[in-house]
């Protein structure tokens, strides 16, 4: 776990003053550490019969696709508005200033499928809470777990997810 922690670079004041950005590009560029990261999630879910691993745009896709491949699952995409070409469901949520929206294709899942959601960072939790609601409100599927590479615990994003199962590899 130390190797994974050490491969995440902290960038101060990005994208705006006061934010410490967790840059995962050194982790992704290191073959051993990237593999170790995906293996941690894959080992966790090996016997969970996951049908689809859903990534949240954009850095979530890096993890969702590699993890789906490792598990022999499919992968799905939750995207920002206007990016998905087919019929979509959408969910708008509040930001500190204004609103944002997430979208998913209407045929993303089959009834009864077992879904794993993954993203790189759990910060305020707004994005993943909207993603979870988007899926729960529109599909008859089971969200097995909501996973993150890292959780910024001081932002208490986990509270946005209620009693749903949440797992983070690293916590800050
Ligand atoms: P949030 O909705 O606040 O939980 O975060 C939304 C998205 O912003 C997450 O998917 C993260 O990828 C990204 N994010 C938020 N805070 C950070 C941070 N400090 N460093 C890197 N990415 C972040």
């Amino acid at each position: 776990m130390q190797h994974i922690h050490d491969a995440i670079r902290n960038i101060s004041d990005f994208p705006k003053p006061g934010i410490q950005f967790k840059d995962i590009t050194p982790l992704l560029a290191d073959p051993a550490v990237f593999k170790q990261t995906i293996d941690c999630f894959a080992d966790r879910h090996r016997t969970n019969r996951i049908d689809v691993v859903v990534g949240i745009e954009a850095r979530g896709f890096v993890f969702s696709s590699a993890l789906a491949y490792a598990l022999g699952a499919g992968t799905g995409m939750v995207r920002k508005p206007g990016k998905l070409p087919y019929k979509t469901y959408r969910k708008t949520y509040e930001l500190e200033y204004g609103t944002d929206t997430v979208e998913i294709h209407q045929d993303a899942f089959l009834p009864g499928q077992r879904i794993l959601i993954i993203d790189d960072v759990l910060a305020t939790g707004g994005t993943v809470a909207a993603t979870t609601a988007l899926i729960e409100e529109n599909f008859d599927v089971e969200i097995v777990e909501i996973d993150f590479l890292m959780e910024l615990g001081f932002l208490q994003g986990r509270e946005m997810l209620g009693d749903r199962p949440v797992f983070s590899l690293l916590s800050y």
Side-chain angles (χ1 to χ4, degrees):
M1 210 60 68
Q2 190 63 40
H3 294 300
I4 297 173
H5 177 271
D6 292 348
I8 296 165
R9 177 165 56 194
N10 294 311
I11 308 280
S12 297
D13 300 319
F14 182 89
K16 53 186 180 183
I19 304 286
Q20 188 190 61
F21 192 84
K22 299 291 185 187
D23 178 15
I24 58 168
T25 61
L27 182 157
L28 301 178
D30 184 319
V33 180
F34 182 44
K35 183 174 190 312
Q36 188 190 351
T37 305
I38 297 303
D39 286 348
C40 284
F41 288 109
D43 290 347
R44 180 174 179 82
H45 293 292
R46 195 83 63 194
T47 59
N48 280 349
R49 297 183 291 108
I50 303 295
D51 294 303
V52 182
V53 183
V54 174
I56 303 177
E57 184 169 358
R59 287 181 299 271
F61 296 165
V62 181
F63 297 97
S64 59
S65 54
L67 179 56
Y69 182 82
L71 291 174
T75 190
M77 294 189 283
V78 166
R79 299 208 63 180
K80 293 172 182 141
K83 304 273 191 177
L84 288 169
Y86 184 60
K87 287 178 280 183
T88 62
Y89 298 118
R90 48 170 48 206
K91 180 88 186 171
T92 297
Y93 59 102
E94 301 290 324
L95 297 173
E96 194 177 350
Y97 301 103
T99 61
D100 215 340
T101 299
V102 284
E103 281 191 344
I104 193 165
H105 271 159
Q106 290 187 8
D107 63 351
F109 310 118
L110 298 171
Q113 283 191 315
R114 293 169 61 79
I115 309 301
L116 174 65
I117 299 172
I118 191 163
D119 201 1
D120 63 337
V121 178
L122 173 58
T124 66
T127 312
V128 70
T131 295
T132 305
L134 175 72
I135 293 172
E136 288 175 346
E137 288 168 10
N138 293 292
F139 298 94
D140 176 22
V141 294
E142 184 179 349
I143 297 176
V144 175
E145 198 167 72
I146 307 167
D147 286 4
F148 302 91
L149 174 60
M150 68 195 114
E151 174 174 359
L152 308 181
F154 55 90
L155 293 174
Q156 298 172 334
R158 196 177 268 256
E159 289 180 10
M160 298 279 284
L161 293 167
D163 56 6
R164 295 175 186 83
V166 175
F167 169 75
S168 308
L169 214 48
L170 301 171
S171 293
Y172 294 87

